[in-house]
Amino acid sequence: MRGISNLRPALPKYNITWDPKLLLVYLKGLFPTESLSLKFLNLKLATLLALITGHRLQTISLIRPSNIKVSSTGYQVLITDKLKTSSSSSTPSSLHIPLFSEEPALCVASLLKRYLVVTSSFRSQQADFLFLTHQRPHREATKQTISRWVKLTMELAGLDTSKFKPHSTRHASTSTALKRGVPLATILKTAGWSRESNTFRNFYNLPITDDMDFAVSILQAAR
């Protein structure tokens, strides 16, 4: 098997990724939070959590309200369930959800607080996980359901979901973070990779696609 893997090494799923600004501009428009239905609270919160943490959607689906702790800078979320890359000796992952007062429409900490308030009235004691479906009887959302929410949000924002799948939020956010000067060690830690991991270097550090010149030429043709 090792010989086969050497002959046919794993290749990145994407050779380019998309600019998160496209998605953030759309999500910024879903405001004020108090006016959003549970459906759009789900879409916005799930997508923003995927973007700002750089984690897989599996991780997002395993957030438990009981593991969300208030901190001076926002929320700390401990992921105690076993993840795809967890080993028997792995320490639990921790997600930081910061306050973002400079742009209230994109403050994930405030959005999370609102979500907990809205869902508290119908969250049963048996509901261990954060996300609940927006259709009654409001069951716990699976990873597949959350993936569909992120895909729908990407489509609503104008992203080509025939090319970029929900998991590509991980590619987009980590590649953008590096481009904007975030230290590699911080990216690896935030997204749940070890310092020795080559995964980001080999599969996620991608150039951001920029079709601006093409898009502008199309728009100018409408004059």
Side-chain angles (χ1 to χ4, degrees):
M1 292 298 292
R2 181 178 297 179
I4 293 174
S5 64
N6 288 336
L7 289 172
R8 301 180 63 183
L11 297 174
K13 184 177 179 64
Y14 306 103
N15 55 18
I16 57 172
T17 191
W18 43 272
D19 188 344
K21 181 179 179 181
L22 300 172
L23 198 48
L24 291 171
V25 168
Y26 171 73
L27 293 172
K28 185 178 175 180
L30 299 179
F31 193 75
T33 304
E34 290 74 20
S35 68
L36 298 180
S37 65
L38 181 58
K39 174 181 178 178
F40 281 95
L41 282 173
N42 274 329
L43 299 186
K44 184 173 183 178
L45 182 57
T47 305
L48 281 174
L49 283 172
L51 282 175
I52 70 164
T53 65
H55 270 263
R56 294 180 176 85
L57 294 179
Q58 180 204 17
T59 307
I60 306 304
S61 72
L62 294 175
I63 295 175
R64 298 174 182 266
S66 58
N67 288 336
I68 299 174
K69 308 299 180 185
V70 179
S71 72
S72 59
T73 58
Y75 291 99
Q76 289 294 133
V77 182
L78 197 65
I79 305 297
T80 53
D81 293 82
K82 187 174 181 180
L83 300 175
K84 179 180 178 181
T85 56
S86 297
S87 66
S88 57
S89 59
S90 296
T91 57
S93 295
S94 180
L95 311 179
H96 178 53
I97 314 300
L99 291 166
F100 192 55
S101 56
E102 62 187 81
E103 184 50 79
L106 293 176
C107 180
V108 188
S110 298
L111 182 62
L112 175 58
K113 181 179 180 180
R114 174 65 181 171
Y115 188 84
L116 290 169
V117 169
V118 169
T119 57
S120 64
S121 62
F122 49 80
R123 183 181 295 277
S124 70
Q125 292 183 343
Q126 289 72 40
D128 289 334
F129 297 105
L130 172 65
F131 282 104
L132 302 177
T133 59
H134 36 267
Q135 296 177 331
R136 294 179 180 178
H138 305 300
R139 295 187 176 91
E140 291 178 330
T142 63
K143 182 188 74 171
Q144 291 74 24
T145 296
I146 293 172
S147 180
R148 288 195 294 271
W149 292 347
V150 174
K151 180 181 179 181
L152 175 57
T153 308
M154 291 170 66
E155 290 173 347
L156 292 171
L159 288 164
D160 184 357
T161 55
S162 67
K163 180 187 297 184
F164 299 114
K165 305 305 179 185
H167 179 69
S168 67
T169 54
R170 186 164 162 90
H171 298 76
S173 61
T174 53
S175 295
T176 299
L178 188 69
K179 182 181 179 182
R180 295 180 66 86
V182 177
L184 179 59
T186 300
I187 295 171
L188 295 176
K189 180 180 178 182
T190 302
W193 288 302
S194 69
R195 283 179 173 270
E196 295 75 26
S197 174
N198 288 318
T199 303
F200 176 72
R201 299 175 182 86
N202 294 340
F203 297 99
Y204 289 86
N205 182 20
L206 304 173
I208 296 171
T209 181
D210 187 355
D211 294 330
M212 183 60 69
D213 292 340
F214 177 85
V216 168
S217 68
I218 298 299
L219 294 172
Q220 289 176 340
R223 289 180 178 176

